Amino acid sequence: MSQDTHSVKPWGGRFSEATDAFVERFTASVEFDQRLYHHDINGSIAHATMLAAVGVLTDDEKSTIIDGLNAIREDIAAGKFNWSVSLEDVHMNVEAELTNRIGITGKKLHTGRSRNDQVATDIRLYLRDEIDAIGQELTRLQQGLVTLADNNADTIMPGFTHLQTAQPVTFGHHLLAWNEMLERDYQRLMDCRKRVNQSPLGAAALAGTTYPIDRELTAKLLGFEAPTRNSLDSVSDRDFAIEFCSFAALVMTHLSRASEELVLWTSAQFNFIDLPDRFCTGSSIMPQKKNPDVPELVRGKTGRVNGHLISLLTLMKSQPLAYNKDNQEDKEPLFDAIDTVKDCLRAFADMIPAISPVKESMYESAKRGFSTATDLADYLVRKGIPFRDSHEVVGKSVAYGIEQKKDLSEMSLEELKQFSDVIEEDVFEVLTLEGSVAARDHIGGTAPNQVKAAAAKAKALIEAR
Ligand code: ARG
């Protein structure tokens, strides 16, 4: 990056001394906003096309501008562009280079436009593409999850509340719970996209412009749904970026919760799943270690994305209308939120199909911890005992089991009968893990046939996108 403090500023007319060298660096954004170049050039091409359509530029001028911009695009993509800090941002770097290359015609591009509507347009175009890429990764992750769930519709594991064994569930059911969170995230992302996809171009600095511009045309050329409705709002609003960051914070929160479970499940203490070596790393001192770094990092990265949401909310909260330079600070949080979410979704989408459940271990764990105690209570209720009394009876049976080191299903009928004489031989059907999950046979329940049906529905929802 060059720092030629003597170069002429595009806005230098009313200034009598050069910008202070530190101030120049302090106010510049080109180091981080150059990633907008592709969308900046697309916005400029649409603007030039519109200016020609309404007679502000000639067709020749338009073609010269478009050819020049496309050549600049190629050079930037090839890494052959010399970015200059003294030209402040991506917009002025590209425009100055255009004028360097095509001469006076380049100076006409900015007619009827300001960097204020230009930058708002660029961010929206950029974010729209990133939303689509993120949506695809989210879809890939959900496909993997639902397939794994479908394959494990009858794999029994303990379900937890308070991280204490509660009732048996199926692994498929647990995975579909994650999918529900991600399905809502996808819906939120698509809803956010609608508000991102509005064109601020033509709002100019804040009040609109005196040229006979056609905002419908630029909106259409750029694939926006419509022009925004108020010029002041158009240049100052960043709530579309805040909305994206709140989506990002939520999806990261969901990935973080799943990560936490993956980390627990890979531990020797749980031993519920095996994570292939390629998603883990070793320890430099303890040779036996295989650490679940990928889920740990996803969990860790959630913090910074939550932070970006707070940064943007705080950035906006005191800004008077319309554009303020504060808004230049929108980019780094937004870009980092985009990059982080995309990487984490990619890591998860790659990792989930590679998970193999250690079924025996899940099953053994579900057998410990009296996970069918509620089933016994429900059984007693069916035999006419009020629920509160049956709760008491089962509590006593569990205390006995703890003392005798026996699960409920391992006790004899005689042993069980000491707590209630309504207990008969048929009790063993409800005390098995299979019987317990199969009995929760309703929409949203953990019965294997319900899990199968839920997986099929989830798959259909994903395919309908
Ligand atoms: N780099 C600026 C930003 O990111 C572009 C808009 C600057 N507009 C201005 N009037 N200084 O927001």
Side-chain angles (χ1 to χ4, degrees):
M1 181 114 17
S2 83
Q3 190 157 8
D4 172 16
T5 47
H6 302 294
S7 70
V8 179
K9 308 286 186 201
W11 40 253
R14 63 101 71 209
F15 286 77
S16 56
E17 62 174 357
T19 318
D20 176 89
F22 169 72
V23 170
E24 187 162 81
R25 190 157 55 75
F26 186 70
T27 53
S29 54
V30 64
E31 221 158 315
F32 49 83
D33 69 13
Q34 55 184 265
R35 73 156 83 185
L36 294 173
Y37 80 86
H38 178 67
H39 300 91
D40 186 74
I41 288 173
N42 286 347
S44 290
I45 289 176
H47 182 65
T49 304
M50 179 279 291
L51 289 179
V54 299
V56 174
L57 291 180
T58 67
D59 280 342
D60 277 354
E61 286 170 332
K62 174 190 81 174
S63 303
T64 310
I65 287 174
I66 292 177
D67 292 348
L69 287 170
N70 279 327
I72 291 172
R73 186 197 324 258
E74 275 171 35
D75 285 355
I76 298 175
K80 287 192 287 196
F81 191 84
N82 187 20
W83 296 101
S84 158
V85 171
S86 61
L87 287 166
E88 207 175 307
D89 55 25
V90 59
H91 323 292
M92 292 204 296
N93 267 268
V94 170
E95 193 192 325
E97 180 60 18
L98 180 68
T99 300
N100 264 348
R101 293 186 185 194
I102 67 170
I104 189 165
T105 307
K107 295 187 177 177
K108 297 188 176 179
L109 170 62
H110 213 50
T111 314
R113 181 177 79 166
S114 153
R115 274 184 299 151
N116 297 351
D117 60 340
Q118 188 179 358
V119 69
T121 304
D122 293 3
I123 306 171
R124 285 168 180 270
L125 288 172
Y126 177 81
L127 181 55
R128 189 181 65 191
D129 279 353
E130 294 297 326
I131 285 175
D132 291 342
I134 287 167
Q136 277 175 21
E137 285 297 43
L138 193 46
T139 298
R140 191 163 71 86
L141 165 56
Q142 287 186 261
Q143 281 164 338
L145 256 184
V146 171
T147 302
L148 189 63
D150 192 37
N151 295 338
N152 286 281
D154 56 4
T155 303
I156 291 175
M157 68 180 279
F160 300 91
T161 60
H162 314 267
L163 204 58
Q164 311 285 322
T165 300
Q167 292 169 357
V169 295
T170 69
F171 185 46
H173 196 50
H174 195 114
L175 295 171
L176 288 181
W178 291 357
N179 182 60
E180 287 301 314
M181 303 177 205
L182 296 176
E183 178 63 34
R184 289 192 294 276
D185 290 331
Y186 186 85
Q187 302 300 332
R188 269 187 280 274
L189 181 65
M190 290 304 121
D191 199 51
C192 163
R193 190 189 191 281
K194 291 181 208 155
R195 283 175 290 278
V196 168
N197 199 25
Q198 310 289 325
S199 177
L201 199 56
L206 75 164
T209 177
T210 55
Y211 296 93
I213 57 169
D214 182 348
R215 293 193 62 209
E216 298 276 359
L217 177 59
T218 44
K220 193 162 151 248
L221 289 171
L222 293 168
F224 283 121
E225 191 194 292
T228 52
R229 291 186 291 260
N230 179 294
S231 64
L232 294 169
D233 177 51
S234 304
V235 293
S236 70
D237 157 47
R238 294 293 182 270
D239 60 21
F240 65 88
I242 297 178
E243 251 188 278
F244 172 81
C245 283
S246 53
F247 149 80
L250 264 172
V251 74
M252 286 301 297
T253 298
H254 291 149
L255 294 182
S256 181
R257 295 184 64 191
S259 295
E260 169 71 6
E261 294 186 320
L262 292 175
V263 170
L264 286 172
W265 292 348
T266 54
S267 69
Q269 289 70 20
F270 272 83
N271 189 32
F272 280 7
I273 58 164
D274 190 52
L275 212 51
D277 288 359
R278 64 183 183 280
F279 297 104
C280 300
T281 62
S283 156
S284 53
I285 176 168
M286 296 167 284
Q288 85 284 12
K289 292 291 292 280
K290 176 174 152 184
N291 297 327
D293 286 36
V294 171
E296 286 176 281
L297 260 180
V298 170
R299 188 178 60 188
K301 284 176 186 290
T302 303
R304 65 202 270 172
V305 175
N306 288 353
H308 296 326
L309 171 61
I310 300 299
S311 296
L312 291 191
L313 284 167
T314 313
L315 177 69
M316 282 314 297
K317 71 176 272 295
S318 307
Q319 285 194 50
L321 286 170
Y323 176 86
N324 303 282
K325 184 77 167 180
D326 310 42
N327 273 347
Q328 185 163 287
E329 286 289 305
D330 62 359
K331 287 167 203 63
E332 289 158 293
L334 178 64
F335 293 164
D336 189 70
I338 290 169
D339 295 347
T340 307
V341 167
K342 211 161 54 172
D343 282 355
C344 292
L345 285 170
R346 178 190 168 162
F348 251 74
D350 289 347
M351 188 173 61
I352 290 294
I355 286 176
S356 43
V358 186
K359 297 186 184 181
E360 322 74 61
S361 181
M362 287 182 172
Y363 194 86
E364 277 311 308
S365 171
K367 262 168 78 178
R368 292 192 305 272
F370 304 96
S371 66
T372 56
T374 316
D375 298 86
L376 178 57
D378 291 345
Y379 169 88
L380 295 170
V381 168
R382 284 197 298 276
K383 299 265 172 175
I385 313 245
F387 184 77
R388 277 292 155 230
D389 293 342
S390 78
H391 189 284
E392 176 76 14
V393 167
V394 179
K396 294 215 164 94
S397 326
V398 167
Y400 172 82
I402 292 170
E403 192 190 289
Q404 300 287 315
K405 296 199 168 45
K406 276 186 182 172
D407 184 59
L408 294 171
S409 62
E410 290 163 347
M411 294 177 195
S412 67
L413 186 55
E414 284 62 44
E415 280 176 300
L416 287 167
K417 265 190 173 304
Q418 41 174 339
F419 304 107
S420 169
D421 53 13
V422 304
I423 300 179
E424 304 291 345
E425 191 62 38
D426 60 352
V427 74
F428 294 105
E429 283 159 35
V430 308
L431 291 183
T432 63
L433 299 177
E434 288 77 6
S436 173
V437 293
R440 284 155 173 85
D441 189 8
H442 51 74
I443 295 170
T446 197
N449 60 305
Q450 292 290 348
V451 174
K452 277 266 172 208
K457 266 192 188 162
K459 196 166 279 179
L461 262 183
I462 296 166
E463 268 157 25
R465 284 174 187 173

